[in-house]
Amino acid sequence: MWEAVSTFVREHENFVVTTHINPEGDAIGSEVAFACFLEGLGKKATIVNSSATPSNCLYLEGADRIVVYGEGFDRRILDEADA
Protein backbone atom coordinates (compact mmCIF):
# COMPACT_ATOMS: atom_id res chain seq x y z
CA MET A 1 0.00 0.00 0.00
CA TRP A 2 2.75 2.50 0.90
CA GLU A 3 4.40 1.90 -2.46
CA ALA A 4 1.14 2.86 -4.18
CA VAL A 5 0.92 6.06 -2.11
CA SER A 6 4.56 6.88 -2.82
CA THR A 7 4.04 6.34 -6.54
CA PHE A 8 0.89 8.48 -6.53
CA VAL A 9 2.66 11.36 -4.81
CA ARG A 10 5.69 11.07 -7.09
CA GLU A 11 3.53 11.15 -10.23
CA HIS A 12 1.50 14.26 -9.32
CA GLU A 13 2.47 17.88 -8.74
CA ASN A 14 -0.58 19.90 -7.67
CA PHE A 15 -2.62 18.52 -4.76
CA VAL A 16 -5.85 19.48 -3.04
CA VAL A 17 -5.87 18.25 0.55
CA THR A 18 -9.17 18.02 2.44
CA THR A 19 -10.88 16.37 5.38
CA HIS A 20 -14.35 15.54 6.65
CA ILE A 21 -17.20 17.96 7.38
CA ASN A 22 -16.93 19.85 10.69
CA PRO A 23 -13.27 19.01 11.30
CA GLU A 24 -11.69 19.06 14.73
CA GLY A 25 -8.09 19.65 15.74
CA ASP A 26 -6.69 16.27 14.69
CA ALA A 27 -8.22 16.58 11.21
CA ILE A 28 -6.95 20.14 10.77
CA GLY A 29 -3.50 19.21 12.04
CA SER A 30 -3.31 16.16 9.79
CA GLU A 31 -4.19 17.99 6.61
CA VAL A 32 -1.83 20.88 7.37
CA ALA A 33 0.97 18.42 8.13
CA PHE A 34 0.33 16.48 4.91
CA ALA A 35 0.28 19.70 2.86
CA CYS A 36 3.60 20.71 4.43
CA PHE A 37 5.02 17.26 3.67
CA LEU A 38 3.99 17.58 0.01
CA GLU A 39 5.48 21.06 -0.21
CA GLY A 40 8.70 19.71 1.27
CA LEU A 41 8.84 17.39 -1.74
CA GLY A 42 8.49 20.39 -4.06
CA LYS A 43 4.78 19.80 -4.73
CA LYS A 44 1.99 22.38 -4.62
CA ALA A 45 -0.67 21.75 -1.97
CA THR A 46 -3.85 23.71 -1.26
CA ILE A 47 -6.06 22.81 1.68
CA VAL A 48 -9.78 23.05 0.90
CA ASN A 49 -12.53 22.23 3.40
CA SER A 50 -16.29 22.38 3.09
CA SER A 51 -16.58 23.65 6.67
CA ALA A 52 -14.95 26.67 8.26
CA THR A 53 -12.09 26.01 10.64
CA PRO A 54 -13.50 25.88 14.18
CA SER A 55 -12.49 28.86 16.32
CA ASN A 56 -10.78 26.57 18.84
CA CYS A 57 -8.42 25.39 16.07
CA LEU A 58 -7.44 28.78 14.66
CA TYR A 59 -4.32 28.85 16.84
CA LEU A 60 -2.90 25.82 15.04
CA GLU A 61 0.04 26.69 12.82
CA GLY A 62 -1.12 26.58 9.21
CA ALA A 63 -4.85 26.80 9.99
CA ASP A 64 -4.91 30.23 8.37
CA ARG A 65 -4.05 28.72 4.97
CA ILE A 66 -7.25 26.64 4.77
CA VAL A 67 -9.62 27.69 1.99
CA VAL A 68 -13.36 27.12 2.52
CA TYR A 69 -15.33 25.73 -0.39
CA GLY A 70 -18.45 27.82 -0.87
CA GLU A 71 -19.59 31.16 -2.16
CA GLY A 72 -16.69 33.03 -3.68
CA PHE A 73 -14.54 29.91 -3.94
CA ASP A 74 -11.94 30.09 -6.70
CA ARG A 75 -12.81 27.09 -8.85
CA ARG A 76 -9.35 27.22 -10.46
CA ILE A 77 -7.98 25.58 -7.31
CA LEU A 78 -9.78 22.37 -8.25
CA ASP A 79 -9.42 22.76 -12.00
CA GLU A 80 -5.64 23.09 -11.79
CA ALA A 81 -5.12 20.23 -9.32
CA ASP A 82 -4.05 16.87 -10.63
CA ALA A 83 -4.48 15.03 -7.34
Side-chain angles (χ1 to χ4, degrees):
M1 178 175 133
W2 290 113
E3 183 60 35
V5 172
S6 176
T7 299
F8 184 83
V9 168
R10 213 176 19 256
E11 292 177 349
H12 295 85
E13 294 301 320
N14 190 347
F15 292 78
V16 170
V17 179
T18 192
T19 190
H20 55 79
I21 296 171
N22 299 321
E24 63 291 294
D26 64 332
I28 301 289
S30 294
E31 64 185 350
V32 170
F34 188 58
C36 289
F37 168 76
L38 291 168
E39 291 166 346
L41 296 175
K43 311 293 182 173
K44 181 178 178 191
T46 305
I47 304 169
V48 178
N49 289 342
S50 62
S51 303
T53 303
S55 60
N56 67 334
C57 295
L58 292 174
Y59 75 93
L60 295 170
E61 186 174 338
D64 58 335
R65 63 181 284 182
I66 298 170
V67 178
V68 178
Y69 184 87
E71 189 174 327
F73 177 76
D74 186 353
R75 177 74 190 181
R76 289 177 294 181
I77 292 170
L78 300 180
D79 293 340
E80 296 172 0
D82 62 350

